[in-house]
Amino acid sequence: LPIITMTTDFGEGPFAGLMKGVIWGINPEARIVDLTHKVPPQDVRAGALVLEQARKVFEPGSIHLAVVDPGVGSERRAICARALGMYFVGPDNGLFTQALDLDPECEVRLLLNKAFFRKEISNTFHGRDIFAPVAAHLAGGADFRELGPVVKDPVLLDWPRPFQKDARLAGCILCEDSFGNLVSNLDQDTVETFLKGRTGLVSMAGLVLRGISKNYSDTSPGGIVALFNSTGYLELAVNRGNLRKKLGLDSSRIYGVPVSVSAFNSKH
Amino acid sequence: LPIITMTTDFGEGPFAGLMKGVIWGINPEARIVDLTHKVPPQDVRAGALVLEQARKVFEPGSIHLAVVDPGVGSERRAICARALGMYFVGPDNGLFTQALDLDPECEVRLLLNKAFFRKEISNTFHGRDIFAPVAAHLAGGADFRELGPVVKDPVLLDWPRPFQKDARLAGCILCEDSFGNLVSNLDQDTVETFLKGRTGLVSMAGLVLRGISKNYSDTSPGGIVALFNSTGYLELAVNRGNLRKKLGLDSSRIYGVPVSVSAFNSKH
Amino acid sequence: LPIITMTTDFGEGPFAGLMKGVIWGINPEARIVDLTHKVPPQDVRAGALVLEQARKVFEPGSIHLAVVDPGVGSERRAICARALGMYFVGPDNGLFTQALDLDPECEVRLLLNKAFFRKEISNTFHGRDIFAPVAAHLAGGADFRELGPVVKDPVLLDWPRPFQKDARLAGCILCEDSFGNLVSNLDQDTVETFLKGRTGLVSMAGLVLRGISKNYSDTSPGGIVALFNSTGYLELAVNRGNLRKKLGLDSSRIYGVPVSVSAFNSKH
């Protein structure tokens, strides 16, 4: 039976548990995994970044239920996307940008078929009343095409892509993880193709790091390293510390900080 | 198989997980849902408000295990209530007030039958040693009546009820949710019966809002709305913000703040 | 089917959920319990203390997966210990000290057999790539001996033991729980053997408490008590309050604060 993952900004209250009650009321066999309920409130991009990690780990057929939904009850659409062999259920606000970008065969359906909803639909908690029951029905084998008509123009976030500029590969920070490590949009393939075996020089916020490390402990405790993290993205970190705090950066100001890679032997 | 929900003030430590170990030791098939473990420490009323949401979502037969238990190990009784087609297991301190108030057929049993407990009972963790095993046995089909004798006088909290005063419907704030929305005790039925189709004027803490909105986004970002939330209670909220913080209210001072509704055309 | 427990310092992000995705990809039937993901970052001793509670509650055969791993990707070894009838999977950094100390028959294996790993191993997330899959395979019946060769010298933490000095039984604080209660290394057997029925006098940080209470509520709200907690260790607590805060102690300075017990009638 497929897995349903949950990604929300519900924090510490009972909302996520209430959604599980709805899922199990429809599909008592469903296996449910909490990815996180601590997406910063209403931060759609942060939610999208969680899903970007999830799509690399979960099996085909998994159902990713994501509710970061500042527009709940407004005109924003409710959708289910089928992409990369998985399903993504939630509001049409860009949460699924990366999967939709990566899969040219993706298909998006508008959630219109009330047979898959709870009987009464509140204006403020579509997670419980629409998204959870749709995910539960999909996990039980419901036909994706019966959810509703095709959506041709799902909302997509601007997703910053690395680009080459002069002798640099330019990217930016996307987010921090729970250890205060700063994660960029520079993926290992792109960086290694650019470096062609040369030693990399990583620059961010005044820091210049020579070489890309294998491990946090390639430097002594308190030292700063750049390495490819477990999702394959270039990340800057303090060995046994919190880089964001060390740099005095506010969490809300991480996104978009420029990061670049150049080759040590090139001019810089 | 029935669902066991958990509502505690255990915070971030392993206590909730230890209770699950006990439940699964007795009943390996039990399905367990965390509602929240972040009830403010020893705040029985806040725990009761979580159960008030749970009873509206979970299926008949569900077992609500709640441990907000400042009196653990003292003379306070341990009980199981059967009400609204569900079971409620925990200390006799008012956690189950709302279900007991709403169901005239409810029955409460004292937890005395040690056959349903762990072998050794600590003085400080009845969640693990009494309540979790009782819930696990109930989920496995144990007979409610065998838990112990009937309790005629379970502890009930004062639960503030809306009342009409002059041309106003008067209520108060019960709690905030994790977004900082302020939830009152004014339920949709009572408010709509009072308003009889007239436009409502909602007053709280110096705010006066004209009309009850359908959605958070009925106002521009930063604007304040009153609406019926997903549990059917009148709630005040900031679109894409945190109302409690905006008003500069301390979390511990939310409870009891007066809220009233009057009709726009009446004198006010 | 055995239970897999999880103890990590991953905090609020998706890492724990990603590990569950890996476990269920290998073993869809596995039952997984979160003990805590809020071990203070990289605090191995705090992780060890969680496992010390878990080993007293979970059934034989349970698999304790623990990832507090400041040395991930370095030379530190990855191990599985079989002790006390359970399995412990994680980095070789002392997390399993107490179980290894208590079981003279324990056996530790180096995790070398890649048949039990994910296909690609990152340098920074062995929880997902090594420990979770090993736990999933063990839960499915994999042979412990096939994990890798025996480790003769697993890393052990210094674990402070109570000792008698003059007419005092001397111990120290190990940790606080989520209520701010301070937990010592003085276990009930040792204390009661020492006291031989005499009334105890408990001293810590200038406090002197006469008698060991049964319950938090043996004193009035705000009063301080010493009692044996649910794990059988002597603990100091404020009835309906937070002792650590009341004493103005910083969380990082709790560990090692001396606690002693003497008999009321002896000289002290």
Side-chain angles (χ1 to χ4, degrees), chain B residues 9-15 17-18 20-22 24-25 28 41-42 70-74 118 122-125 128, chain C residues 3 31-36 38 50 53-54 56-59 177-179 214-217 227-230 240-241:
Chain B
D9 61 354
F10 292 163
E12 300 172 340
F15 294 155
L18 297 175
K20 293 178 196 172
V22 170
W24 280 344
Q42 313 184 330
V72 62
S74 71
R118 281 187 95 208
S122 70
N123 285 311
T124 56
F125 195 4
R128 180 191 64 188
Chain C
I3 289 173
R31 288 179 297 153
I32 307 172
V33 175
D34 298 297
L35 289 180
T36 180
K38 291 284 189 116
V50 171
Q53 293 173 71
K56 298 187 174 181
V57 168
F58 284 86
E59 302 284 311
D177 72 10
S178 54
F179 295 91
K214 289 241 179 272
N215 315 310
Y216 299 121
S217 46
L227 45 65
F228 294 110
N229 72 9
S230 62
R240 309 199 183 206

Side-chain angles (χ1 to χ4, degrees), chain B residues 195-265:
Chain B
L195 285 175
K196 295 185 195 113
R198 298 171 296 176
T199 297
L201 212 61
V202 179
S203 309
M204 183 203 73
L207 292 172
V208 182
L209 303 169
R210 182 175 162 188
I212 296 175
S213 302
K214 289 244 179 267
N215 315 309
Y216 298 120
S217 46
D218 275 1
T219 180
S220 48
I224 299 176
V225 292
L227 45 64
F228 294 109
N229 72 8
S230 61
T231 330
Y233 288 100
L234 191 71
E235 166 182 306
L236 286 86
V238 174
N239 184 19
R240 308 199 183 207
N242 182 309
L243 180 59
R244 181 184 62 74
K245 289 185 183 168
K246 180 165 183 150
L247 297 179
L249 294 171
D250 189 76
S251 284
S252 65
R253 305 209 160 213
I254 294 298
Y255 176 75
V257 171
V259 182
S260 71
V261 176
S262 56
F264 181 57
N265 291 324

Side-chain angles (χ1 to χ4, degrees), chain B:
Chain B
L1 211 66
I3 289 173
I4 297 172
T5 77
M6 291 179 66
T7 300
T8 80
D9 61 354
F10 292 163
E12 300 172 340
F15 294 155
L18 297 175
M19 287 175 65
K20 293 178 196 172
V22 170
I23 292 170
W24 280 344
I26 291 166
N27 185 334
E29 306 294 320
R31 289 179 297 153
I32 308 171
V33 175
D34 297 297
L35 288 180
T36 180
H37 301 294
K38 291 282 188 118
V39 173
Q42 313 184 330
D43 186 339
V44 173
R45 182 177 303 277
L49 286 164
V50 171
L51 294 174
E52 168 62 3
Q53 292 173 71
R55 67 150 181 105
K56 298 188 175 181
V57 167
F58 285 85
E59 302 284 311
S62 294
I63 297 159
H64 301 292
L65 177 52
V67 191
V68 181
D69 194 9
V72 62
S74 71
E75 297 299 303
R76 75 97 185 87
R77 297 175 294 192
I79 58 172
C80 176
R82 188 175 60 191
L84 305 169
M86 301 174 173
Y87 296 98
F88 298 82
V89 180
D92 178 31
N93 60 16
L95 275 171
F96 314 138
T97 296
Q98 184 74 340
L100 295 174
D101 269 1
L102 291 172
D103 183 353
E105 312 269 291
C106 69
E107 187 174 317
V108 179
R109 295 274 170 174
L110 189 64
L111 301 183
L112 267 195
N113 185 342
K114 292 191 175 178
F116 299 117
F117 298 173
R118 281 187 95 208
K119 264 184 223 152
E120 295 187 24
I121 311 295
S122 70
N123 285 311
T124 56
F125 195 4
H126 288 184
R128 180 191 64 188
D129 302 333
I130 296 178
F131 303 127
V134 163
H137 284 293
L138 278 175
D143 185 340
F144 174 64
R145 293 163 301 179
E146 292 189 6
L147 296 175
V150 167
V151 172
K152 289 286 186 198
D153 58 345
V155 173
L156 297 175
L157 301 176
D158 281 328
W159 196 277
R161 308 286 168 193
F163 59 95
Q164 215 171 315
K165 189 186 170 185
D166 306 328
R168 287 172 181 268
L169 182 66
C172 68
I173 296 298
L174 294 179
C175 62
E176 63 174 322
D177 71 12
S178 54
F179 295 91
N181 303 328
L182 302 178
V183 182
S184 79
N185 65 342
L186 294 162
D187 61 282
Q188 190 162 2
D189 274 359
T190 303
V191 174
E192 293 185 342
T193 302
F194 170 79
L195 285 175
K196 295 185 195 113
R198 298 171 296 176
T199 297
L201 212 61
V202 179
S203 309
M204 183 203 73
L207 292 172
V208 182
L209 303 169
R210 182 175 162 188
I212 296 175
S213 302
K214 289 244 179 267
N215 315 309
Y216 298 120
S217 46
D218 275 1
T219 180
S220 48
I224 299 176
V225 292
L227 45 64
F228 294 109
N229 72 8
S230 61
T231 330
Y233 288 100
L234 191 71
E235 166 182 306
L236 286 86
V238 174
N239 184 19
R240 308 199 183 207
N242 182 309
L243 180 59
R244 181 184 62 74
K245 289 185 183 168
K246 180 165 183 150
L247 297 179
L249 294 171
D250 189 76
S251 284
S252 65
R253 305 209 160 213
I254 294 298
Y255 176 75
V257 171
V259 182
S260 71
V261 176
S262 56
F264 181 57
N265 291 324
S266 68
K267 290 177 199 164
H268 54 267

Side-chain angles (χ1 to χ4, degrees), chain A:
Chain A
L1 210 67
I3 289 173
I4 297 172
T5 78
M6 291 179 66
T7 300
T8 79
D9 61 354
F10 293 162
E12 301 172 340
F15 294 155
L18 297 176
M19 286 175 65
K20 292 178 197 174
V22 170
I23 292 171
W24 280 345
I26 291 166
N27 185 336
E29 305 293 320
R31 288 179 298 153
I32 308 172
V33 175
D34 298 296
L35 289 180
T36 180
H37 300 294
K38 290 284 187 118
V39 172
Q42 312 184 332
D43 185 339
V44 173
R45 182 177 302 276
L49 286 163
V50 171
L51 294 175
E52 168 61 4
Q53 293 173 71
R55 68 150 180 106
K56 297 188 175 182
V57 167
F58 285 85
E59 303 283 310
S62 295
I63 296 159
H64 300 293
L65 176 53
V67 190
V68 181
D69 195 9
V72 62
S74 71
E75 296 299 304
R76 75 97 184 87
R77 297 175 293 192
I79 59 171
C80 175
R82 188 175 60 191
L84 306 169
M86 301 172 173
Y87 296 97
F88 298 83
V89 180
D92 179 30
N93 61 15
L95 275 172
F96 313 137
T97 296
Q98 183 76 341
L100 295 175
D101 268 1
L102 291 172
D103 183 353
E105 313 269 291
C106 69
E107 186 174 318
V108 179
R109 296 273 170 175
L110 189 64
L111 301 183
L112 267 194
N113 186 343
K114 293 191 175 178
F116 299 116
F117 300 173
R118 282 186 95 209
K119 263 184 225 153
E120 294 188 25
I121 311 294
S122 70
N123 284 311
T124 57
F125 195 3
H126 287 185
R128 180 191 65 189
D129 302 334
I130 296 179
F131 302 128
V134 163
H137 284 293
L138 278 174
D143 186 340
F144 174 64
R145 292 163 301 181
E146 292 189 6
L147 297 176
V150 168
V151 171
K152 290 285 187 198
D153 58 346
V155 172
L156 298 175
L157 301 177
D158 281 327
W159 195 278
R161 307 287 169 191
F163 59 96
Q164 217 172 313
K165 189 185 170 186
D166 306 328
R168 287 172 181 269
L169 182 66
C172 68
I173 296 299
L174 294 179
C175 62
E176 63 174 322
D177 71 12
S178 54
F179 295 90
N181 304 327
L182 301 179
V183 182
S184 79
N185 66 341
L186 294 162
D187 61 283
Q188 189 161 2
D189 274 0
T190 303
V191 174
E192 293 185 342
T193 302
F194 170 79
L195 285 176
K196 297 186 194 108
R198 297 171 297 176
T199 297
L201 212 60
V202 179
S203 308
M204 185 203 71
L207 292 172
V208 181
L209 302 169
R210 181 175 162 188
I212 295 174
S213 302
K214 288 243 178 271
N215 316 310
Y216 298 121
S217 47
D218 274 1
T219 181
S220 47
I224 299 176
V225 292
L227 45 65
F228 293 110
N229 72 9
S230 61
T231 331
Y233 288 99
L234 192 72
E235 165 181 307
L236 285 87
V238 174
N239 184 20
R240 307 196 184 210
N242 182 309
L243 180 58
R244 181 183 63 73
K245 289 186 184 169
K246 181 164 181 150
L247 296 178
L249 293 170
D250 189 76
S251 283
S252 66
R253 304 210 160 212
I254 293 298
Y255 177 75
V257 171
V259 181
S260 71
V261 175
S262 56
F264 181 57
N265 290 325
S266 68
K267 290 177 199 164
H268 55 265

